[in-house]
Amino acid sequence: TNAASINMTLYPTNTATAAGYKRNFEIGAKIVVLQYGAGQVVPVASGCIVALPAGMTGSGGQHKRMVCEYIGANEWLVYGDLA
């Protein structure tokens, strides 16, 4: 829950976190994000591609959800209730 917008960083597969943990996403893996507060959740790329529809920047409003789907070769597709 956040009143201001917040960035959600998406990473490519097989990269390590600062603590040394590996991020392993299979093609087709989905992360469902619920914007619970008033602040928009904005997916941002770190070493990969994040594809959103033209003109969209993130979640579409309070109690709306978006889906981040790993579609391969370090690419995420974002869809759902967007704004």
Side-chain angles (χ1 to χ4, degrees):
T1 303
N2 206 12
S5 67
I6 187 167
N7 289 343
M8 179 186 76
T9 306
L10 294 170
Y11 296 90
T13 193
N14 294 325
T15 57
T17 66
Y21 298 107
K22 284 280 205 175
R23 299 176 183 94
N24 284 319
F25 297 104
E26 298 290 329
I27 293 176
K30 295 176 183 159
I31 301 170
V32 179
V33 180
L34 173 67
Q35 179 185 325
Y36 193 74
Q40 184 182 40
V41 180
V42 179
V44 295
S46 178
C48 61
I49 296 167
V50 174
L52 288 125
M56 301 293 151
T57 58
S59 58
Q62 191 167 16
H63 302 122
K64 302 287 185 172
R65 65 181 170 186
M66 68 179 177
V67 178
C68 303
E69 182 174 350
Y70 192 71
I71 59 173
N74 300 325
E75 187 171 1
W76 291 91
L77 177 64
V78 181
Y79 55 91
D81 297 321
L82 304 174

